[in-house]
Amino acid sequence: MNVSSTSPAKSPLYRCSRRAAIAFLAFATSLAPTFPPTTAAPQASTLVTLAKIREAWVRDLRAKQLEAILKFYASDAVFLQPTGERITGSTALRTLFQTIMATFDSSLTLHSQNLETSGDLAYDSGDFHEILTTIANGAKIATKGSYIIIFKRQPNGSWQIVQHVWTGTPPPGT
């Protein structure tokens, strides 16, 4: 068996391969700026869509549009209340929102701090301020806290809430 005494660094083949690799990298690097990122426009439009969903959710809650609110949630969505209670699924969410809407008038305001996407998941995180007016006696309750909403893109391309977390002090009776 013959073993070459020439080291790989001094081999003519190695020098040629190394030059070809450097030339390829230089060429690829020079082309990179000419191709704009392909995800910027779709992500921007997705963020606009999600912000519109958030705004519509608040509007529908204030207007007590139960059916409209429920359409924002996936059938197996989870709502985590400030008490730590986990409310899961369409039926439980319907009961939750029916109770809230029958008990209070809301002037909820959300202040989004982060709205980001990654593939078929997205989240919106921020702070809220709400004045709840008790329907029975007109008493006003001011609450504030934080929220996070996790969205999932559905097979039809729409976005639905799959997890919704609310922090802060829960109003009495909820």
Side-chain angles (χ1 to χ4, degrees):
M1 177 171 170
N2 288 335
V3 178
S4 171
S5 63
T6 308
S7 70
K10 295 186 182 193
S11 163
L13 181 58
Y14 177 79
R15 282 191 302 251
C16 183
S17 297
R18 185 172 171 201
R19 283 187 195 134
I22 291 170
F24 174 77
L25 287 174
F27 176 73
T29 303
S30 70
L31 287 180
T34 64
F35 295 108
T38 58
T39 59
Q43 179 161 346
S45 68
T46 298
L47 295 177
V48 168
T49 298
L50 294 170
K52 286 180 180 179
I53 291 171
R54 178 187 61 240
E55 292 164 12
W57 184 92
V58 169
R59 197 172 41 250
D60 290 342
L61 179 69
R62 288 179 181 170
K64 299 185 178 190
Q65 298 297 309
L66 179 63
E67 297 306 319
I69 284 278
L70 294 174
K71 287 181 181 177
F72 292 115
Y73 292 90
S75 62
D76 59 347
V78 175
F79 193 102
L80 301 171
Q81 296 209 82
T83 60
E85 182 182 3
R86 178 180 290 268
I87 297 170
T88 304
S90 297
T91 302
L93 287 171
R94 175 177 294 280
T95 301
L96 170 69
F97 285 109
Q98 280 176 329
T99 302
I100 291 169
M101 291 175 183
T103 308
F104 301 104
D105 290 328
S106 170
S107 67
L108 176 67
T109 304
L110 298 181
H111 301 282
S112 180
Q113 301 293 321
N114 290 349
L115 179 58
E116 296 189 27
T117 66
S118 179
D120 288 338
L121 292 175
Y123 75 91
D124 180 13
S125 173
D127 303 316
F128 73 88
H129 181 266
E130 184 174 31
I131 296 177
L132 295 167
T133 304
T134 307
I135 294 171
N137 61 16
K140 297 200 180 290
I141 304 163
T143 64
K144 63 181 181 175
S146 299
Y147 72 91
I148 186 165
I149 302 170
I150 301 173
F151 299 90
K152 184 174 183 182
R153 189 186 335 256
Q154 302 302 300
N156 67 3
S158 69
W159 290 90
Q160 284 191 306
I161 299 169
V162 293
Q163 297 274 319
H164 197 159
V165 181
W166 213 252
T167 69
T169 306
T174 59

